[in-house]
Amino acid sequence: MLQLNNASVTISPHTILQPTNLTFQKGIITTLLGHNGCGKSTLMKLLSRQNAPSQGEVLLEDKAITHFKPKEFALKVAYLPQHPPVTDGVTVKELVSFGRFPWKGAFGRYTAQDKAFIQEAIQKVGLEDYQDRFVATLSGGERQRAWIAMLLAQQSECILLDEPTSALDISHQYELLALIRELNLSLGLTVIMVLHDINMAAKFSDHLIALHSGEVIAQGSPSEMMKVDTLEKIYGMELALFQHPITGHPISYIP
């Protein structure tokens, strides 16, 4: 669905992202991994059209994303940055309704269908009882669910999530990622996200891409990536693995 064709980012004199070729498959969850400053967020900003590559191009359905009008692109791809805008004085329902903006424009009126999409999005993330609450009064996990509901209301085919679990405790991380997986499976939603926790990434992703110093150094399925030598290459430290006693999936830890 999305592709990087020899795309790189240079902020003189530093190259933040080396010339990169990547293809993101439709209908799966792809997660970007790597230490801070490795180029993950830079890559996400290219995919979301927040930044332009210094060279090369980013393609959506074999067409350069620069050739899409903003509204046309928004109907295909929705983006949640690492630090979403402040939402003081905005209710959950109002926030979710913003997701209909690409379909309506600045002065478009919400139709019955728009309102149905908004309610459906709120229901899918389990915030029906919170829709009249101000977003600022919600817990971190509830707030992230509200933002994801806004992306769902946008009815885009692909959502980009830059560190959606960064401010959440472990239980809310799990709940949010389980929700994202459920939406991926039930809606056929394409998800590209950034995570730091390799075990969470392996559990909830179909494909992992690891970056180091602005370069893709490994990619593959979770089973292919959860190898001691691969993890050491990604994180620059010794990590060990053991098998989950019930699922048999490999889990990494610091020995």
Side-chain angles (χ1 to χ4, degrees), residues 137-178:
T137 68
L138 302 180
S139 69
E142 292 161 350
R143 197 175 302 129
Q144 287 296 78
R145 284 173 174 261
W147 281 106
I148 289 176
M150 187 196 73
L151 302 189
L152 293 179
Q154 190 170 318
Q155 294 278 296
S156 302
E157 300 171 19
C158 173
I159 62 173
L160 308 175
L161 307 171
D162 192 353
E163 297 193 33
T165 62
S166 61
L168 304 181
D169 59 47
I170 189 69
S171 64
H172 286 104
Q173 287 182 37
Y174 186 93
E175 289 176 4
L176 184 68
L177 293 173

Side-chain angles (χ1 to χ4, degrees), residues 83-148:
H83 302 292
V86 175
T87 52
D88 291 345
V90 177
T91 67
V92 169
K93 190 172 183 178
E94 288 170 338
L95 176 65
V96 177
S97 70
F98 294 160
R100 299 305 297 162
F101 179 81
W103 298 88
K104 308 307 296 180
F107 303 105
R109 296 192 177 191
Y110 290 109
T111 64
Q113 185 181 47
D114 291 314
K115 293 175 182 178
F117 282 137
I118 292 166
Q119 283 302 132
E120 182 181 8
I122 292 171
Q123 183 271 328
K124 283 186 181 297
V125 302
L127 290 180
E128 305 100 306
D129 295 337
Y130 297 83
Q131 58 185 310
D132 295 320
R133 287 263 303 271
F134 289 114
V135 176
T137 68
L138 302 180
S139 69
E142 292 161 350
R143 197 175 302 129
Q144 287 296 78
R145 284 173 174 261
W147 281 106
I148 289 176

Side-chain angles (χ1 to χ4, degrees), residues 58-68 72:
V58 182
L59 306 175
L60 173 62
E61 297 174 347
D62 297 322
K63 177 181 176 181
I65 62 173
T66 52
H67 294 166
F68 287 85
E72 187 183 11

Side-chain angles (χ1 to χ4, degrees), residues 1-248:
M1 184 176 185
L2 279 162
Q3 292 177 280
L4 269 67
N5 184 11
N6 203 39
S8 67
V9 175
T10 299
I11 301 176
S12 186
H14 304 290
T15 298
I16 310 301
L17 184 69
Q18 302 291 336
T20 301
N21 293 290
L22 279 174
T23 298
F24 295 88
Q25 294 182 42
K26 189 174 183 177
I28 69 168
I29 297 180
T30 300
T31 297
L32 306 180
L33 300 166
H35 59 76
N36 290 335
C38 70
K40 303 185 302 296
S41 290
T42 298
L43 197 158
M44 290 290 279
K45 288 176 181 177
L46 291 185
L47 296 175
S48 60
R49 220 167 71 158
Q50 300 297 303
N51 292 340
S54 303
Q55 70 172 42
E57 59 184 354
V58 182
L59 306 175
L60 173 62
E61 297 174 347
D62 297 322
K63 177 181 176 181
I65 62 173
T66 52
H67 294 166
F68 287 85
K69 294 178 180 179
K71 177 178 177 180
E72 187 183 11
F73 185 73
L75 299 181
K76 295 283 187 180
V77 178
Y79 170 59
L80 183 61
Q82 185 176 347
H83 302 292
V86 175
T87 52
D88 291 345
V90 177
T91 67
V92 169
K93 190 172 183 178
E94 288 170 338
L95 176 65
V96 177
S97 70
F98 294 160
R100 299 305 297 162
F101 179 81
W103 298 88
K104 308 307 296 180
F107 303 105
R109 296 192 177 191
Y110 290 109
T111 64
Q113 185 181 47
D114 291 314
K115 293 175 182 178
F117 282 137
I118 292 166
Q119 283 302 132
E120 182 181 8
I122 292 171
Q123 183 271 328
K124 283 186 181 297
V125 302
L127 290 180
E128 305 100 306
D129 295 337
Y130 297 83
Q131 58 185 310
D132 295 320
R133 287 263 303 271
F134 289 114
V135 176
T137 68
L138 302 180
S139 69
E142 292 161 350
R143 197 175 302 129
Q144 287 296 78
R145 284 173 174 261
W147 281 106
I148 289 176
M150 187 196 73
L151 302 189
L152 293 179
Q154 190 170 318
Q155 294 278 296
S156 302
E157 300 171 19
C158 173
I159 62 173
L160 308 175
L161 307 171
D162 192 353
E163 297 193 33
T165 62
S166 61
L168 304 181
D169 59 47
I170 189 69
S171 64
H172 286 104
Q173 287 182 37
Y174 186 93
E175 289 176 4
L176 184 68
L177 293 173
L179 170 65
I180 291 168
R181 169 56 91 187
E182 178 187 339
L183 296 171
N184 158 253
L185 294 175
S186 62
L187 303 177
L189 193 65
T190 302
V191 180
I192 303 170
M193 61 182 175
V194 173
L195 293 178
H196 279 292
D197 189 318
I198 180 63
N199 291 318
M200 289 288 198
K203 180 174 180 60
F204 291 105
S205 307
D206 301 295
H207 191 76
L208 304 175
I209 298 174
L211 292 94
H212 193 289
S213 302
E215 184 176 0
V216 175
I217 58 171
Q219 63 174 307
S221 67
S223 60
E224 292 170 332
M225 294 285 283
M226 292 293 278
K227 310 289 185 185
V228 170
D229 55 344
T230 302
L231 296 179
E232 184 172 352
K233 186 179 179 182
I234 296 170
Y235 295 106
M237 62 182 296
E238 182 184 357
L239 292 171
L241 294 169
F242 70 92
Q243 286 190 327
H244 190 285
I246 297 175
T247 67

